[in-house]
Short mmCIF file of all heavy atoms in Angstrom, two decimals:
data_model
loop_
_atom_site.label_atom_id
_atom_site.label_comp_id
_atom_site.label_asym_id
_atom_site.label_seq_id
_atom_site.Cartn_x
_atom_site.Cartn_y
_atom_site.Cartn_z
N VAL V 163 -12.45 3.92 -9.48
CA VAL V 163 -11.72 5.13 -9.11
C VAL V 163 -10.26 5.05 -9.54
O VAL V 163 -9.72 5.97 -10.16
CB VAL V 163 -11.80 5.39 -7.59
CG1 VAL V 163 -10.81 6.44 -7.17
CG2 VAL V 163 -13.21 5.81 -7.22
N VAL V 164 -9.61 3.94 -9.20
CA VAL V 164 -8.17 3.84 -9.49
C VAL V 164 -7.89 3.80 -10.99
O VAL V 164 -7.08 4.60 -11.49
CB VAL V 164 -7.58 2.58 -8.79
CG1 VAL V 164 -6.13 2.36 -9.24
CG2 VAL V 164 -7.66 2.75 -7.29
N PRO V 165 -8.54 2.91 -11.79
CA PRO V 165 -8.20 2.89 -13.22
C PRO V 165 -8.56 4.18 -13.94
O PRO V 165 -7.82 4.63 -14.83
CB PRO V 165 -9.03 1.71 -13.77
CG PRO V 165 -10.08 1.45 -12.74
CD PRO V 165 -9.49 1.83 -11.43
N ILE V 166 -9.68 4.82 -13.57
CA ILE V 166 -10.04 6.09 -14.21
C ILE V 166 -9.07 7.20 -13.77
O ILE V 166 -8.64 8.03 -14.58
CB ILE V 166 -11.49 6.48 -13.88
CG1 ILE V 166 -12.45 5.46 -14.52
CG2 ILE V 166 -11.81 7.88 -14.36
CD1 ILE V 166 -13.91 5.73 -14.20
N GLY V 167 -8.69 7.20 -12.49
CA GLY V 167 -7.78 8.23 -12.00
C GLY V 167 -6.43 8.18 -12.65
O GLY V 167 -5.74 9.22 -12.76
N MET V 168 -5.99 6.99 -13.08
CA MET V 168 -4.68 6.87 -13.72
C MET V 168 -4.60 7.70 -14.99
O MET V 168 -3.53 8.21 -15.35
CB MET V 168 -4.38 5.41 -14.02
CG MET V 168 -4.22 4.54 -12.78
SD MET V 168 -3.89 2.80 -13.20
CE MET V 168 -2.25 2.93 -13.90
N TYR V 169 -5.73 7.85 -15.71
CA TYR V 169 -5.72 8.59 -16.96
C TYR V 169 -5.62 10.10 -16.72
O TYR V 169 -5.24 10.84 -17.62
CB TYR V 169 -6.97 8.27 -17.77
CG TYR V 169 -6.96 6.90 -18.39
CD1 TYR V 169 -7.48 5.80 -17.71
CD2 TYR V 169 -6.41 6.70 -19.65
CE1 TYR V 169 -7.45 4.54 -18.27
CE2 TYR V 169 -6.39 5.43 -20.22
CZ TYR V 169 -6.91 4.35 -19.53
OH TYR V 169 -6.88 3.10 -20.09
N PHE V 170 -5.98 10.56 -15.52
CA PHE V 170 -5.93 11.98 -15.22
C PHE V 170 -4.73 12.36 -14.37
O PHE V 170 -4.52 13.53 -14.10
CB PHE V 170 -7.23 12.39 -14.48
CG PHE V 170 -8.47 12.23 -15.30
CD1 PHE V 170 -9.23 11.09 -15.24
CD2 PHE V 170 -8.87 13.24 -16.18
CE1 PHE V 170 -10.37 10.93 -16.00
CE2 PHE V 170 -10.01 13.10 -16.95
CZ PHE V 170 -10.76 11.95 -16.86
N SER V 171 -3.95 11.37 -13.95
CA SER V 171 -2.78 11.66 -13.12
C SER V 171 -1.58 12.00 -14.00
O SER V 171 -1.28 11.30 -14.96
CB SER V 171 -2.48 10.45 -12.23
OG SER V 171 -1.27 10.65 -11.52
N GLU V 172 -0.87 13.05 -13.64
CA GLU V 172 0.31 13.45 -14.40
C GLU V 172 1.49 12.54 -14.10
O GLU V 172 2.48 12.53 -14.84
CB GLU V 172 0.68 14.89 -14.06
CG GLU V 172 -0.40 15.90 -14.45
CD GLU V 172 -0.01 17.33 -14.09
OE1 GLU V 172 1.05 17.48 -13.43
OE2 GLU V 172 -0.74 18.27 -14.46
N LYS V 173 1.42 11.76 -13.03
CA LYS V 173 2.52 10.89 -12.64
C LYS V 173 2.46 9.54 -13.33
O LYS V 173 3.41 8.75 -13.21
CB LYS V 173 2.51 10.67 -11.12
CG LYS V 173 2.69 11.98 -10.33
CD LYS V 173 2.69 11.68 -8.83
CE LYS V 173 2.87 12.95 -8.03
NZ LYS V 173 2.89 12.69 -6.56
N VAL V 174 1.37 9.26 -14.02
CA VAL V 174 1.21 7.97 -14.70
C VAL V 174 1.26 8.17 -16.19
O VAL V 174 0.49 8.99 -16.74
CB VAL V 174 -0.12 7.29 -14.29
CG1 VAL V 174 -0.27 5.95 -15.01
CG2 VAL V 174 -0.19 7.09 -12.79
N ALA V 175 2.17 7.47 -16.85
CA ALA V 175 2.29 7.58 -18.31
C ALA V 175 1.06 6.98 -18.98
O ALA V 175 0.47 6.02 -18.47
CB ALA V 175 3.55 6.87 -18.80
N PRO V 176 0.65 7.54 -20.14
CA PRO V 176 -0.53 7.00 -20.83
C PRO V 176 -0.41 5.52 -21.16
O PRO V 176 -1.38 4.76 -21.02
CB PRO V 176 -0.60 7.85 -22.11
CG PRO V 176 0.09 9.14 -21.74
CD PRO V 176 1.17 8.75 -20.80
N LEU V 177 0.79 5.07 -21.59
CA LEU V 177 0.97 3.66 -21.92
C LEU V 177 0.80 2.78 -20.67
O LEU V 177 0.27 1.67 -20.76
CB LEU V 177 2.33 3.43 -22.55
CG LEU V 177 2.54 3.93 -23.98
CD1 LEU V 177 3.93 3.65 -24.48
CD2 LEU V 177 1.50 3.30 -24.92
N THR V 178 1.24 3.30 -19.51
CA THR V 178 1.06 2.52 -18.26
C THR V 178 -0.43 2.37 -17.93
O THR V 178 -0.88 1.30 -17.53
CB THR V 178 1.78 3.24 -17.11
OG1 THR V 178 3.17 3.36 -17.43
CG2 THR V 178 1.65 2.43 -15.82
N ALA V 179 -1.18 3.49 -18.11
CA ALA V 179 -2.62 3.43 -17.84
C ALA V 179 -3.32 2.45 -18.78
O ALA V 179 -4.18 1.67 -18.36
CB ALA V 179 -3.22 4.82 -17.94
N ILE V 180 -2.93 2.51 -20.06
CA ILE V 180 -3.55 1.62 -21.02
C ILE V 180 -3.19 0.16 -20.72
O ILE V 180 -4.05 -0.74 -20.75
CB ILE V 180 -3.10 1.99 -22.46
CG1 ILE V 180 -3.64 3.37 -22.84
CG2 ILE V 180 -3.57 0.92 -23.46
CD1 ILE V 180 -3.11 3.88 -24.16
N GLY V 181 -1.92 -0.11 -20.40
CA GLY V 181 -1.50 -1.45 -20.05
C GLY V 181 -2.22 -1.98 -18.82
O GLY V 181 -2.62 -3.15 -18.77
N PHE V 182 -2.41 -1.10 -17.81
CA PHE V 182 -3.13 -1.51 -16.61
C PHE V 182 -4.58 -1.85 -16.94
O PHE V 182 -5.13 -2.84 -16.42
CB PHE V 182 -3.07 -0.38 -15.58
CG PHE V 182 -3.79 -0.70 -14.29
CD1 PHE V 182 -3.18 -1.44 -13.29
CD2 PHE V 182 -5.10 -0.26 -14.09
CE1 PHE V 182 -3.86 -1.74 -12.12
CE2 PHE V 182 -5.78 -0.56 -12.91
CZ PHE V 182 -5.14 -1.29 -11.93
N THR V 183 -5.18 -1.03 -17.80
CA THR V 183 -6.58 -1.29 -18.18
C THR V 183 -6.71 -2.62 -18.90
O THR V 183 -7.65 -3.40 -18.66
CB THR V 183 -7.09 -0.15 -19.07
OG1 THR V 183 -6.96 1.08 -18.38
CG2 THR V 183 -8.55 -0.38 -19.45
N ILE V 184 -5.77 -2.92 -19.82
CA ILE V 184 -5.83 -4.16 -20.57
C ILE V 184 -5.65 -5.36 -19.65
O ILE V 184 -6.33 -6.38 -19.77
CB ILE V 184 -4.76 -4.16 -21.68
CG1 ILE V 184 -5.06 -3.06 -22.71
CG2 ILE V 184 -4.69 -5.52 -22.37
CD1 ILE V 184 -3.99 -2.89 -23.74
N ALA V 185 -4.72 -5.23 -18.69
CA ALA V 185 -4.41 -6.36 -17.82
C ALA V 185 -5.46 -6.59 -16.75
O ALA V 185 -5.82 -7.74 -16.43
CB ALA V 185 -3.04 -6.15 -17.15
N VAL V 186 -6.00 -5.51 -16.17
CA VAL V 186 -6.90 -5.62 -15.03
C VAL V 186 -8.37 -5.45 -15.43
O VAL V 186 -9.27 -5.91 -14.74
CB VAL V 186 -6.51 -4.60 -13.94
CG1 VAL V 186 -7.40 -4.73 -12.71
CG2 VAL V 186 -5.06 -4.77 -13.55
N GLY V 187 -8.61 -4.78 -16.59
CA GLY V 187 -9.97 -4.47 -16.99
C GLY V 187 -10.93 -5.62 -17.00
O GLY V 187 -12.02 -5.56 -16.42
N PRO V 188 -10.56 -6.78 -17.62
CA PRO V 188 -11.49 -7.92 -17.63
C PRO V 188 -11.88 -8.41 -16.24
O PRO V 188 -12.99 -8.87 -16.04
CB PRO V 188 -10.72 -8.98 -18.41
CG PRO V 188 -9.79 -8.21 -19.28
CD PRO V 188 -9.38 -7.01 -18.48
N PHE V 189 -10.93 -8.30 -15.28
CA PHE V 189 -11.24 -8.76 -13.91
C PHE V 189 -12.15 -7.75 -13.20
O PHE V 189 -12.99 -8.15 -12.39
CB PHE V 189 -9.95 -8.97 -13.13
CG PHE V 189 -9.04 -9.99 -13.75
CD1 PHE V 189 -7.96 -9.58 -14.54
CD2 PHE V 189 -9.26 -11.33 -13.57
CE1 PHE V 189 -7.12 -10.53 -15.12
CE2 PHE V 189 -8.41 -12.28 -14.14
CZ PHE V 189 -7.34 -11.87 -14.93
N LEU V 190 -11.95 -6.45 -13.47
CA LEU V 190 -12.81 -5.45 -12.85
C LEU V 190 -14.22 -5.46 -13.46
O LEU V 190 -15.19 -5.09 -12.80
CB LEU V 190 -12.20 -4.04 -13.01
CG LEU V 190 -10.99 -3.72 -12.15
CD1 LEU V 190 -10.47 -2.33 -12.50
CD2 LEU V 190 -11.34 -3.81 -10.67
N PHE V 191 -14.31 -5.88 -14.70
CA PHE V 191 -15.61 -5.82 -15.37
C PHE V 191 -16.63 -6.71 -14.69
O PHE V 191 -17.81 -6.37 -14.63
CB PHE V 191 -15.44 -6.25 -16.84
CG PHE V 191 -16.74 -6.39 -17.57
CD1 PHE V 191 -17.37 -5.27 -18.10
CD2 PHE V 191 -17.38 -7.62 -17.70
CE1 PHE V 191 -18.58 -5.39 -18.76
CE2 PHE V 191 -18.58 -7.74 -18.35
CZ PHE V 191 -19.17 -6.62 -18.88
N ILE V 192 -16.20 -7.85 -14.20
CA ILE V 192 -17.15 -8.79 -13.61
C ILE V 192 -17.85 -8.19 -12.40
O ILE V 192 -19.10 -8.15 -12.36
CB ILE V 192 -16.45 -10.12 -13.26
CG1 ILE V 192 -15.93 -10.78 -14.54
CG2 ILE V 192 -17.40 -11.05 -12.52
CD1 ILE V 192 -15.15 -12.06 -14.30
N PRO V 193 -17.12 -7.71 -11.35
CA PRO V 193 -17.86 -7.12 -10.21
C PRO V 193 -18.60 -5.85 -10.59
O PRO V 193 -19.72 -5.62 -10.11
CB PRO V 193 -16.76 -6.86 -9.17
CG PRO V 193 -15.50 -6.78 -9.96
CD PRO V 193 -15.67 -7.73 -11.10
N VAL V 194 -17.98 -4.99 -11.43
CA VAL V 194 -18.64 -3.75 -11.81
C VAL V 194 -19.91 -4.07 -12.61
O VAL V 194 -20.97 -3.46 -12.40
CB VAL V 194 -17.69 -2.86 -12.63
CG1 VAL V 194 -18.45 -1.67 -13.24
CG2 VAL V 194 -16.55 -2.36 -11.76
N GLY V 195 -19.83 -5.02 -13.54
CA GLY V 195 -21.00 -5.38 -14.33
C GLY V 195 -22.12 -5.94 -13.47
O GLY V 195 -23.29 -5.62 -13.67
N LEU V 196 -21.76 -6.79 -12.51
CA LEU V 196 -22.77 -7.36 -11.62
C LEU V 196 -23.44 -6.28 -10.77
O LEU V 196 -24.67 -6.32 -10.54
CB LEU V 196 -22.15 -8.43 -10.74
CG LEU V 196 -21.69 -9.71 -11.46
CD1 LEU V 196 -20.97 -10.64 -10.47
CD2 LEU V 196 -22.88 -10.43 -12.08
N LEU V 197 -22.66 -5.31 -10.31
CA LEU V 197 -23.23 -4.23 -9.51
C LEU V 197 -24.15 -3.34 -10.34
O LEU V 197 -25.23 -2.94 -9.87
CB LEU V 197 -22.09 -3.40 -8.89
CG LEU V 197 -21.32 -4.07 -7.76
CD1 LEU V 197 -20.07 -3.26 -7.42
CD2 LEU V 197 -22.20 -4.23 -6.53
N ILE V 198 -23.75 -3.04 -11.58
CA ILE V 198 -24.60 -2.23 -12.45
C ILE V 198 -25.89 -2.97 -12.76
O ILE V 198 -26.98 -2.41 -12.74
CB ILE V 198 -23.85 -1.88 -13.75
CG1 ILE V 198 -22.67 -0.94 -13.44
CG2 ILE V 198 -24.80 -1.22 -14.74
CD1 ILE V 198 -21.82 -0.63 -14.65
#
């Protein structure tokens, strides 16, 4: 919810959303992947 919502929020710059995804994405992938 949070990482996807950042891309649709007008208060978050696109570069900030991309940087957050790059930094946090690999850590989120593990629990999300296991749940899927």
